[in-house]
Amino acid sequence: MLGVGLLKGLKTTLRAFFSRPVTIMYPYERVRIGDRGQGLIKLRVTSFDPVVYKCTGCGICEKNCPQRCIEVTKKEGEKQPEIYTVNYGLCMFCRICIDVCPFDALEMTQDSEHIGYSRQDFIWEKEKLAMKSLYIVEEKTPASRDADGASS
Amino acid sequence: MEIINYEYKKTDNRDVIAAIQPKAETAGVAVKFSEFKEQLFCEIDSADIKKFCSLLNSDAELSFEYIKFLTAVDYVEYIEMVYCLYSFKNNWSIIIKVKLDGRKPVVDSVCSIYRGADWHERETAEMFGIDIMDHPNLKHLLLAGDEDGYPLRKNFEIKWEEREYIPPEKFE
Amino acid sequence: MYDEAEILLDDLPKDYMEVNFGPHHPSTHGVFRFIAKIDGERIIDIDPVIGYLHRGIEKIAENRTYVQFKPLVDRLDYTGGLNNELCYCLAVEKLMDIEAPPRAQAIRVICAELNRIAAHLIFFGAMGLETGAFTPLLFGFLDRETILNIFEIMAGGRLTFNYITIGGVREDIRSTVKTYFDKFNKEFPVKLKRYEELITGNEIFIKRLKNVGILKKEDLFNWGASGPTLRGSGVKFDIRKVEPYSGYEKYDFDIPVGTNGDVYDRYLVRMEEIKQSMRIVAQALDNLPSGDFTVKVPRIIKPPEGEVYVRNEGTKGEIGFYIVSKGDKNPYRLKIRTPSFSHINMLNFAASGNYIADAIVILGSFDTVMGSCDR
């Protein structure tokens, strides 16, 4: 009979009408992304005074980056990066740099918001990259890595 | 419309060769078979491609009626056309290879046999500069047509343009 | 008297009109343009124009290593990124004679099938949108969101993952994935039933889709159609069954087929595939093998000389990678065969002779993604 399907559909619509909203009021309410989430890159630091990076400036991440957004240089004989910049305007958050790093010096954070007024704001220096971790990094055990930190 | 059911069938490349070889001989196509990782490659002369494809398509026993894709590979000295056909009936797939002259590549269109090859041929023609004969509509497909050279040839240089960043003037 | 009038009309110069759709038209699913030549309301000829999203991925691949290219594979068919990744990794693994361990294979199946559900939910929403109903889009995206949350826990990403690696997967699956999926599995079939009540049984919807764009299987073979488009015309063909990869032969699932070959059948096939995919994921999560989630692969991936073509059943049809290796770090040539390219090629054939409003529905029933068409 014509119209039965329409009425059945209307039932679904009515059910949705009286159910709770599913949207989130974004700037006021926030969803935390999972701890495997693809966020900004963080340079790990072993001590802050003086600043000692875990990075040795070997440049493996620079070579492996598909988007060529990382730039690393180091002085002769030193085991610290002199320049370490990430251009977030190019970065596609593929996590290859983290996978290839032999010193475990990079980490992906759960911060995904990055805005700026000019393109220069997306080029982050090593100080700014390390700033995301204002604490001394503990070695993460595989068990704590597997802890679920995702939202649902 | 009746439902045709295709299920997993164990295939052997020797069966495919045995089925194709006598028919190709009677049609006058010299085929060189080779195998790599359970895939069957047939190498034929570039003049025979249309004849060979129509044989494979129209023959009731072979019935290679589906073209997976068609492309070319630039080996600098020569260009190789690659046709990948599939037979639903027998679960056979073959890859036909045709060698073309690197400086002036010309090949017949298989568009009249496999209509699905239409855009694949257009794409190959513009990416490799291959002259596809008897194609009904050989216009540009993906590219705008203003690039110098053929993008997927090996001698096409990618220009990495390092643009200097100029900050915008301050907004008032 | 009547005959004379007929003759007079025929003698008049035929005035065809050309209508331009797109490139920025909501119903063309991305940046796709076609110029339709119409006679009154009927379409005579369609001239599709593609290439607005052409990024030269095949050329980029020649200048990147195998690992560096992998993130870009997600961006082909961005509604089913993990299916593309799976196909690419299978192709490289075939070149290198690697086989992923059973646990990785099961995880890959879970990924691929969940992504299939997500992609089909977009189709469900878009199909409603094409016929003039906006509600299905919201419902479809709502449930897709739950799947994307599962992906976020499992793979890290929501649309672009880079999760499946050559030789396995990037990280092991979490136990919480099962909890979330079980919850989803409990709620979703009920919801899906309601959605089907909403539009599948709707008379207007059926009238719009039934007996529109009927395609015969012989034509579909010739045009290189695959996936649900082929199955809608009564061809029970699925690469998961015919050429099983990644351990699909272990799972029990059915292949839905249509009988008429019209748009409505293609729609029903996809809705049924959602249910079958749910079955596969539930089976895979229940019998998850223990062991490693990846095999050891060399740090620098250098496949030996040779060429392979590997295909799998993507969300829209047959995805295939043809890789020619010369033993270098980069592929010598990489060709991507995508279902959307073949299906849009077929649009002129499928839509000619139909009404102009039906052309949109027919294009929508192929479920094309321009990112995968233009590459």
Side-chain angles (χ1 to χ4, degrees), chain B residues 1-2 4 6 8 37 39 65-66 68 71-72 74 97 113 115-116 123 141 151 153-154 158, chain C residues 50 59 63 94-95 97 217 221-222 225 234 236 242 259 307 309 311 318 332-333 337 345 375:
Chain B
M1 220 178 266
E2 58 170 325
I4 340 172
Y6 295 108
Y8 174 67
K37 306 229 177 207
Q39 300 167 101
E65 44 196 344
Y66 178 81
K68 287 180 189 171
T71 188
D74 182 14
K97 286 178 160 188
I113 303 154
R115 280 181 287 177
E123 191 199 342
L141 184 67
R153 290 264 192 120
K154 287 286 163 192
I158 296 183
Chain C
I50 62 166
K59 187 71 183 175
N63 296 290
K94 194 174 176 185
L95 262 177
D97 279 325
K217 45 184 168 275
F221 289 158
N222 208 337
K236 206 169 184 175
V242 175
T259 46
E307 48 206 86
Y309 177 71
R311 59 176 184 168
E318 175 188 333
Y332 188 75
R333 167 95 174 93
R337 187 246 191 255
N345 187 6
R375 302 189 296 281

Side-chain angles (χ1 to χ4, degrees), chain C residues 284-296:
Chain C
L285 276 169
D286 283 344
N287 319 310
L288 202 61
S290 56
D292 283 340
F293 59 88
T294 176
V295 288
K296 256 201 139 50

Side-chain angles (χ1 to χ4, degrees), chain A residues 1 3 5-6 9 12 15 33-38 63-64 66-67 92 94-95 99-100 145-146 150 152, chain C residues 64 68 71 75 139 142 152-157 160-162 170-172 174 180 194 198 201-203 299:
Chain A
M1 204 181 82
L6 290 174
T12 309
R15 195 178 273 120
I33 64 171
D35 67 350
R36 284 180 185 179
Q38 293 153 311
K63 266 180 233 149
N64 280 284
Q67 297 294 82
M92 62 174 173
C94 63
R95 303 176 289 190
D99 289 349
V100 296
R145 246 183 121 81
D146 203 58
S152 109
Chain C
R64 285 192 179 185
Q68 282 180 345
R75 282 135 176 104
F139 282 138
L142 181 60
E152 204 181 305
I153 300 161
M154 184 162 68
T160 53
F161 306 93
N162 198 15
R170 190 175 177 270
E171 281 170 296
D172 201 359
R174 283 189 166 130
Y180 282 116
R194 280 185 206 152
L198 181 70
N202 189 315
E203 281 89 355
R299 224 185 177 121

Side-chain angles (χ1 to χ4, degrees), chain C residues 240-252:
Chain C
R240 288 175 290 175
K241 286 271 190 205
V242 175
E243 292 170 6
Y245 56 89
S246 198
Y248 264 109
E249 65 274 7
K250 279 182 268 179
Y251 306 106
D252 175 34

Side-chain angles (χ1 to χ4, degrees), chain C residues 96-320:
Chain C
M96 295 176 74
D97 279 325
I98 300 174
E99 209 192 359
R103 190 177 173 86
Q105 289 190 356
I107 296 171
R108 286 169 170 197
V109 168
I110 293 164
C111 289
E113 291 308 313
L114 278 175
N115 217 329
R116 192 185 310 279
I117 300 168
H120 284 351
L121 281 171
I122 295 182
F123 167 80
F124 164 75
M127 205 66 218
L129 210 59
E130 246 118 39
T131 50
F134 189 71
T135 329
L137 183 80
L138 300 176
F139 282 138
F141 271 74
L142 181 60
D143 283 309
R144 181 170 167 266
E145 189 69 21
T146 324
I147 296 172
L148 295 189
N149 281 334
I150 294 174
F151 279 147
E152 204 181 305
I153 300 161
M154 184 162 68
R158 295 167 71 84
L159 269 178
T160 53
F161 306 93
N162 198 15
Y163 178 58
I164 296 172
T165 55
I166 295 153
V169 289
R170 190 175 177 270
E171 281 170 296
D172 201 359
I173 195 166
R174 283 189 166 130
S175 52
T176 38
V177 171
K178 191 166 161 46
T179 339
Y180 282 116
F181 179 76
D182 283 346
K183 204 175 145 217
F184 180 64
N185 201 4
K186 215 181 273 171
E187 290 167 0
F188 182 60
V190 184
K191 282 185 176 174
L192 196 67
K193 217 175 149 196
R194 280 185 206 152
Y195 300 162
E196 294 206 12
E197 269 179 12
L198 181 70
I199 66 168
T200 312
N202 189 315
E203 281 89 355
I204 302 167
F205 190 71
I206 294 170
K207 279 239 160 83
R208 279 298 304 277
L209 303 192
K210 218 151 187 151
N211 295 325
V212 169
I214 298 177
L215 295 168
K216 288 199 212 75
K217 45 184 168 275
E218 296 81 25
D219 294 326
L220 287 173
F221 289 158
N222 208 337
W223 280 104
S226 51
T229 312
L230 191 62
R231 267 169 256 146
S233 293
V235 184
K236 206 169 184 175
F237 174 80
D238 194 312
I239 299 166
R240 288 175 290 175
K241 286 271 190 205
V242 175
E243 292 170 6
Y245 56 89
S246 198
Y248 264 109
E249 65 274 7
K250 279 182 268 179
Y251 306 106
D252 175 34
F253 62 102
D254 301 325
I255 309 294
V257 279
T259 46
N260 277 332
D262 53 9
V263 175
Y264 192 60
D265 275 2
R266 271 168 249 152
Y267 166 80
L268 287 181
V269 163
R270 284 199 171 88
M271 295 311 279
E272 190 57 37
E273 267 184 23
I274 293 178
K275 289 171 202 161
Q276 298 301 332
S277 292
M278 294 291 282
R279 269 178 71 192
I280 298 172
V281 180
Q283 283 172 47
L285 276 169
D286 283 344
N287 319 310
L288 202 61
S290 56
D292 283 340
F293 59 88
T294 176
V295 288
K296 256 201 139 50
V297 286
R299 224 185 177 121
I300 296 162
I301 287 169
K302 265 190 184 176
E305 210 166 308
E307 48 206 86
V308 286
Y309 177 71
V310 172
R311 59 176 184 168
N312 76 1
E313 184 73 30
T315 56
K316 324 284 194 248
E318 175 188 333
I319 302 170

